[in-house]
Amino acid sequence: MGTLKNKDILHGNQFTRKEIDAIVRTAAQMEKELKGKGSLNLLKGKILVTLFFEPSTRTRLSFEAAMQRLGGGVISMGSVEGSSVAKGETLTDTAQTVAQYADVIVVRHPRIGSAKEVADTVSIPVINAGDGAGQHPTQALLDLYTIRKELGTLKNLSITLVGDLKNGRTVHALVEVLSHFGASFYFVSPAILRMPEEIAARMREKGCMVTETEDLALAASKSDLVYMTRIQKERFADQSEYEKLKGSYILNREFVERLNKKITILHPLPRVDEINPDVDSYPGAAYFRQMRNGVYVRMALLALVLGKR
Ligand code: NCD
């Protein structure tokens, strides 16, 4: 394969259909091989560095687990307060530094475009683990992998995306990767948290059907899948605005049962109140399985960018 060798993973729109297929295929291989063995030796001697300037649980830990399950090593900048960032070091200088110690960088930072800045500074592969309200391409790929596993196909699905579509980087990246498969999208959000027009327009250009609405029940009744997201508190300049909008959409068991059909429910997590815990035992609630798939997909991405698959 080798098409992703030495490449950066920065944006959901960077992938060709062929690359997406290769990532899915490699992730499925990783899942299978891991079941028998628990760990592989593919990246022995390689080092991953995690550079996280924003909170993370799943993304950082699943990247670390992925690298270790591939036999590689992990180093981490640790907290911003505990690093030279606290002394005023720039992002690009920090990037230059860690590039001397590692073979691949995973970076999360509050500024849109920050991962690209890092990639333009260093010669080793850089993986964007979230650049502010921008993109989160590895989440998008694990979401896509999960959808394929849960629904058996990616083709011509009706997909409802709910919540903070303006600031949510997971949905920004997810629609880009899904646009290769002929999706119908329902974008459900409060009016001021709508999907950026540029992204909605690109989806239409790519031949996807796009419907924007505030009515979750209507959209869900027409969909195969509901992708819930959190209102992104940290992106609000005015916290009273956030207080007004939180709780805009809440999925509970009663709502799901009333749809009267099997529906798949995803969420990148963390959740605040948008999915009631009484949904967790619903058979279509796939958000915990989704987290586990993150390890396989990140294993695939690491192996591919480091040229070992
Ligand atoms: C998301 C993120 O950081 O963008 N979390 C994740 O990576 N799984 C979603 C969020 O924080 O709401």
Side-chain angles (χ1 to χ4, degrees), residues 64-232:
E64 294 188 1
M67 191 61 179
Q68 294 196 23
R69 296 225 183 255
L70 286 166
V74 177
I75 57 175
S76 169
M77 184 183 74
S79 71
V80 168
E81 299 75 38
S83 74
S84 281
V85 177
K87 301 178 188 169
E89 187 165 63
T90 62
L91 175 61
T92 47
D93 277 2
T94 302
Q96 287 281 14
T97 308
V98 300
Q100 313 305 317
Y101 308 144
D103 302 289
V104 54
I105 297 176
V106 175
V107 59
R108 169 173 288 187
H109 189 279
R111 191 163 66 240
I112 294 178
S114 51
K116 171 91 169 49
E117 282 170 40
V118 171
D120 289 343
T121 305
V122 303
S123 56
I124 61 174
V126 173
I127 300 178
N128 179 7
D131 58 329
Q135 286 278 315
H136 194 348
T138 69
Q139 179 73 42
L141 292 163
L142 81 88
D143 295 342
L144 177 139
Y145 184 75
T146 304
I147 294 169
R148 185 173 170 275
K149 251 173 97 174
E150 295 288 327
L151 292 163
T153 182
L154 289 165
K155 293 219 183 80
N156 301 319
L157 295 172
S158 281
I159 297 172
T160 288
L161 300 141
V162 190
D164 191 345
L165 306 185
K166 176 176 180 231
N167 299 302
R169 55 197 174 197
T170 65
V171 286
H172 297 170
L174 179 57
V175 294
E176 300 281 3
V177 297
L178 287 174
S179 68
H180 292 271
F181 301 89
S184 297
F185 293 121
Y186 292 89
F187 294 158
V188 179
S189 71
I192 66 161
L193 297 180
R194 283 173 59 186
M195 182 67 87
E197 186 44 44
E198 176 214 333
I199 298 178
R202 188 161 51 246
M203 291 307 111
R204 289 193 179 98
E205 266 164 44
K206 288 186 162 182
C208 298
M209 209 192 77
V210 174
T211 307
E212 295 187 81
T213 173
E214 293 186 41
D215 188 343
L216 173 58
L218 177 80
S221 73
K222 295 180 189 284
S223 295
D224 305 298
L225 172 90
V226 174
Y227 190 97
M228 295 296 291
T229 67
R230 169 179 77 85
I231 307 290
Q232 306 280 300

Side-chain angles (χ1 to χ4, degrees), residues 232-302:
Q232 306 280 300
K233 182 173 196 275
E234 66 275 35
R235 309 283 175 230
F236 284 76
D238 176 358
Q239 284 302 305
S240 69
E241 225 7 67
Y242 167 74
E243 293 299 325
K244 271 188 246 157
L245 290 163
K246 72 168 193 211
S248 293
Y249 296 102
I250 295 179
L251 218 59
N252 57 27
R253 187 72 179 227
E254 194 205 331
F255 177 94
V256 174
E257 302 285 359
R258 227 184 310 128
L259 291 170
N260 223 352
K261 62 170 181 180
K262 184 177 181 249
I263 190 140
T264 300
I265 302 161
L266 261 53
H267 192 309
L269 303 175
R271 64 177 152 187
V272 181
D273 56 5
E274 57 282 352
I275 299 183
N276 193 296
D278 69 2
V279 179
D280 296 357
S281 59
Y282 175 74
Y287 32 93
F288 298 139
R289 297 190 285 277
Q290 186 183 358
M291 289 195 276
R292 184 162 186 86
N293 291 332
V295 177
Y296 312 133
V297 171
R298 287 172 173 137
M299 285 174 76
L301 288 169
L302 290 170

